[in-house]
Amino acid sequence: MLLDTSGLLCLHFSSEPLHTQACIDYQKAKVRLTHSYVIAEYVALANARRFSRSSVLDFVVDLLSSPDVETAWVDEPIHRAAIELLILRQDKTYSLCDAVSFILMRQRGVSEASTTDRHFEQEGFVRLLQPAS
């Protein structure tokens, strides 16, 4: 599964409503993939939500050093492919980070994302974190 920004937030903070589900999904996953843009967005989101900076940075350091998580470092070809996807999907409100995720998921054959973001479903992927209806 791809670990998206909202999925990392749910995984890290027990105060998040979908924390338990994020932990269950993480444990069950055979593949755990994230990328450098997700990590950048995660730090910014956690800061905006006023979570402890030291806790956030410790989590990121642990994530980057975990043998169970592959972190893809976004290079120019992936970045350009993501921009091209955004150009093709101007009717959507995808972020650049979303577009990079979609490119990497297709390249790696990953169909599920630990995310609350409906954009993943719009692009044909499985969103694992859904609020109770």
Side-chain angles (χ1 to χ4, degrees):
M1 76 177 165
L2 179 106
L3 296 164
D4 185 43
T5 309
S6 61
L8 289 179
L9 200 73
C10 291
L11 183 65
H12 183 189
F13 293 104
S14 59
S15 59
E16 289 299 301
L18 295 171
H19 172 72
T20 301
Q21 186 60 49
C23 291
I24 291 168
D25 292 340
Y26 183 87
Q27 291 302 321
K28 290 193 312 191
K30 290 181 175 56
V31 172
R32 297 180 188 103
L33 172 67
T34 195
H35 57 84
S36 52
Y37 287 16
V38 164
I39 293 168
E41 191 175 73
Y42 172 76
V43 171
L45 176 63
N47 184 54
R49 299 261 316 264
R50 302 194 186 282
F51 286 112
S52 162
R53 190 160 181 80
S54 62
S55 175
V56 168
L57 295 175
D58 287 347
F59 180 77
V60 167
V61 168
D62 289 346
L63 184 72
L64 291 173
S65 61
S66 173
D68 298 325
V69 178
E70 178 189 355
T71 301
W73 296 94
V74 178
D75 58 9
E76 183 179 351
I78 292 172
H79 183 96
R80 286 183 178 275
I83 295 293
E84 288 174 21
L85 180 66
L86 292 176
I87 290 168
L88 291 171
R89 304 283 198 280
Q90 291 187 44
D91 61 319
K92 305 287 188 246
T93 57
Y94 300 165
S95 69
L96 179 58
C97 185
D98 291 342
V100 167
S101 294
F102 305 153
I103 298 295
L104 284 173
M105 290 175 77
R106 287 196 179 99
Q107 286 179 350
R108 307 292 176 88
V110 174
S111 60
E112 297 179 327
S114 178
T115 187
T116 61
D117 187 344
R118 66 182 171 75
H119 293 141
F120 284 79
E121 290 173 326
Q122 290 176 338
E123 199 60 26
F125 299 106
V126 176
R127 171 174 59 150
L128 294 174
L129 301 176
Q130 307 241 4
S133 41

